[in-house]
Amino acid sequence: MKKITLLFSFLCALSASAAVTLPDQIGDKMVLQQQADAKIWGWATPGAKISVSGDWSEAPVVADTDKDGRWTAMLPTPAGSFRPHTVIIKGDGSDITLADVLVGEVWIASGQSNMEMPLDGFRGCPIENSNQAIAEAKNYTGRVRMATLPLVGALTPQDRVAGAWKECNIENAPRFSAVGYFFARTLSDLIDMPVGIISAAYGGSRVEGWLPREILETYPDFNIADAENAEVHYYRPMVMYNAMLVPIAGYTARGFLWNQGESNVGRHETYADRLSTMVSEWRRLWGSDTMPFYSVQLPPYQYGDGLYATSGALLREAQQQAMDKTPNCGIVTSIDLQQPGQYLQIHPARKEPIGRRLAWMAAVRDHGIRGLQCESPRLKNVEFMGDKAKVHLLGGEEGVGPWQGLTGFEVAGPDRVFHPAEAINFPGDNTSRPCIIVSSPEVTDIKSVRYCFKNWAEGNVISLRGLPLLPFRTDTWQN
């Protein structure tokens, strides 16, 4: 009996000075955002004092645990480099050393399955050149790391989510988000420092899944039963926000990457406002109203209304509207990445160009890399001239390619019936800028022009740097 009492007392003493615990994302091999106050947090006994220091620090940062035992320390970080660091956390009976920590650039990559999709692909859905990309992963050990969160959902905000950091090597790379991987290695090459990705993507999720209940309750179509009892779990509202976003909220990062929208096709009327609201809410969680947010437009696909209908095109338009009206946002398109035989493949194979385009945007906008371009040309305005129309572009002021054989244009007259259009590259002269002249023998009085404004779109217009023209329409009616 005496031995049992002593054992009980010993266990109680251990409990009274509970060791510091950390979330999965604060650990060995993590990447910290350079030249920032990096958020380090965990749990310990309420009222305890915790100190956090890096091997670059002159003095530790001290934090007090709150009544729930949570503590947060903001650790100043140096400029990014490939030097491995250690971070030491002390207090409440703990002395934790986090090893092989890199300081560089951190990005949160989120959305649905085309962001989640790993280099290994999905069943029956390969990634183009994946084996080569995986073989090359050994060249990015010490340069690229990724923390991949599991697919989880919850009706209430959670404190923790699994997902530890993994270094980039041939063994780990197959499970890395393909878009995230190609983004990270391209950006690392451009800025010559480590890049870390936290992949928080859930296949099939709608934008509403990444918003909190307080915002969703303001929407007339929100029903809490959809979150509690939805037959299709990935369509459930708010559950990804609660289980995947809140637990990592504030992990100090440069910005967000977003590849989502397929599950919101058919709901384009609300998508632009809701995506813009989501950006604002995420920035609030991270404590910055200027964090970059870069989005990917929907891929070509035979969406529910048919191969050449417009539900997907209308969602692409809403994606662009959201990015255009929200400060410090940008969009890259995948409209040119379709491949023969993939019109029924919602997970297109060509992920490397998407990752590169996102990385170019980050390099130019956030690191001031000169000489590189990142913005696709887009519609500026159209001049209607009877049986012809002149299309003027922003970003195509020096002309576009190909020189001949431009495809993807349609025109309509007052009857609103669209016909394929011939498009001629007009180089301009000393008094005019380059433009594209479109016409069709079927339309004598052109009132509207469209480019790649279909679910399965095939157009070939590119800037001088090979960036594809963003899809557009000049009409306001919906076909």
Side-chain angles (χ1 to χ4, degrees):
M1 186 70 179
K2 185 176 181 181
K3 290 182 178 179
I4 294 174
T5 302
L6 289 172
L7 178 60
F8 180 77
S9 299
F10 176 71
L11 292 174
C12 288
L14 285 178
S15 177
S17 60
V20 171
T21 60
L22 302 171
D24 262 17
Q25 295 72 41
I26 306 296
D28 294 343
K29 301 186 184 303
M30 67 179 174
V31 182
L32 296 178
Q33 178 62 38
Q34 65 154 341
Q35 295 180 311
D37 289 334
K39 181 180 177 181
I40 310 291
W41 75 94
W43 298 266
T45 303
K49 286 195 176 295
I50 310 296
S51 73
V52 180
S53 60
D55 59 12
W56 63 86
S57 307
E58 294 183 2
V61 177
V62 178
D64 296 319
T65 57
D66 63 19
K67 62 182 178 60
D68 298 318
R70 178 157 176 150
W71 56 269
T72 300
M74 306 305 290
L75 179 65
T77 57
S81 73
F82 297 110
R83 173 194 164 192
H85 293 283
T86 58
V87 172
I88 299 173
I89 301 171
K90 294 182 178 181
D92 209 15
S94 296
D95 193 342
I96 301 172
T97 299
L98 305 180
D100 196 12
V101 173
L102 294 179
V103 177
E105 290 291 295
V106 180
W107 288 78
I108 313 296
S110 188
Q112 58 182 111
S113 55
N114 275 313
M115 182 63 86
E116 175 196 343
M117 191 175 185
L119 281 171
D120 224 12
F122 291 140
R123 184 177 179 86
C125 308
I127 296 289
E128 184 180 61
N129 298 325
S130 62
N131 215 42
Q132 181 63 30
I134 291 166
E136 293 167 356
K138 64 183 177 61
N139 300 329
Y140 291 89
T141 300
R143 300 186 71 95
V144 168
R145 291 185 180 171
M146 191 172 297
T148 302
L149 309 190
L151 308 185
V152 290
L155 296 175
T156 57
Q158 303 296 296
D159 283 331
R160 305 176 190 236
V161 64
W165 287 94
K166 302 291 185 183
E167 65 181 353
C168 187
N169 56 37
I170 293 175
E171 182 179 359
N172 292 331
R175 290 172 293 281
F176 284 2
S177 158
V179 171
Y181 170 78
F182 290 123
F183 168 88
R185 75 178 199 177
T186 302
L187 185 60
S188 178
D189 286 342
L190 282 166
I191 64 176
D192 199 29
M193 70 175 62
V195 175
I197 302 291
I198 297 180
S199 177
Y202 196 124
S205 59
R206 291 172 171 162
V207 69
E208 291 84 359
W210 299 95
L211 285 166
R213 179 170 181 167
E214 296 75 24
I215 290 176
L216 291 169
E217 286 177 335
T218 68
Y219 298 152
D221 58 333
F222 172 71
N223 187 339
I224 188 63
D226 293 337
E228 296 172 334
N229 306 313
E231 289 185 19
V232 184
H233 59 91
Y234 46 79
Y235 282 169
R236 297 165 71 194
M238 79 183 180
V239 299
M240 296 87 189
Y241 175 91
N242 288 332
M244 298 178 70
L245 199 72
V246 171
I248 63 165
Y251 188 104
T252 308
R254 173 69 66 179
F256 304 103
L257 308 174
W258 179 251
N259 195 346
Q260 188 276 338
E262 293 88 345
S263 291
N264 281 91
V265 168
R267 299 182 173 197
H268 53 273
E269 299 95 338
T270 60
Y271 189 82
D273 284 340
R274 292 183 185 184
L275 180 57
S276 181
T277 297
M278 191 199 82
V279 174
S280 298
E281 169 62 16
W282 287 22
R283 287 172 172 172
R284 183 194 68 80
L285 280 180
W286 262 258
S288 169
D289 59 5
T290 59
M291 283 183 71
F293 187 100
Y294 302 142
S295 179
V296 182
Q297 272 191 327
L298 284 186
Y301 177 71
Q302 181 175 303
Y303 295 96
D305 52 342
L307 195 63
Y308 299 116
T310 59
S311 63
L314 291 165
L315 200 284
R316 290 186 201 107
E317 182 180 65
Q319 291 174 314
Q320 186 175 335
Q321 289 169 347
M323 295 298 95
D324 287 349
K325 76 177 186 176
T326 311
N328 209 23
C329 289
I331 195 161
V332 302
T333 188
S334 61
I335 200 67
D336 61 324
L337 301 180
Q338 76 280 69
Q339 293 173 299
Q342 288 202 341
Y343 62 89
L344 284 177
Q345 178 52 271
I346 196 64
H347 303 119
R350 302 188 65 194
K351 293 292 190 283
E352 184 169 5
I354 297 172
R356 284 183 172 179
R357 289 168 188 177
L358 289 167
W360 295 340
M361 187 163 282
V364 172
R365 288 193 175 193
D366 304 305
H367 294 277
I369 300 295
R370 297 182 179 180
L372 187 65
Q373 292 183 9
C374 68
E375 303 283 352
S376 277
R378 58 170 61 198
L379 175 69
K380 179 181 181 182
N381 66 283
V382 175
E383 295 180 68
F384 296 108
M385 306 177 298
D387 62 350
K388 292 183 176 58
K390 278 188 177 182
V391 177
H392 299 275
L393 305 177
L394 287 172
E397 293 88 349
E398 295 180 355
V400 294
W403 182 246
Q404 292 180 317
L406 278 64
T407 62
F409 291 93
E410 295 178 294
V411 294
D415 61 0
R416 302 183 177 184
V417 176
F418 281 88
H419 300 271
E422 178 185 358
I424 299 173
N425 214 333
F426 180 70
D429 52 34
N430 292 334
T431 61
S432 64
R433 289 187 172 185
C435 65
I436 298 168
I437 298 177
V438 295
S439 63
S440 168
E442 306 295 326
V443 184
T444 58
D445 185 15
I446 297 175
K447 296 297 184 185
S448 182
V449 179
R450 291 181 174 185
Y451 176 74
C452 282
F453 206 81
K454 292 179 178 178
N455 293 341
W456 180 261
E458 297 184 63
N460 65 352
V461 181
I462 57 173
S463 71
L464 297 188
R465 296 294 184 86
L467 293 167
L469 175 63
L470 292 178
F472 69 80
R473 62 171 177 163
T474 63
D475 54 284
T476 57
W477 66 82
Q478 296 173 3
N479 272 342

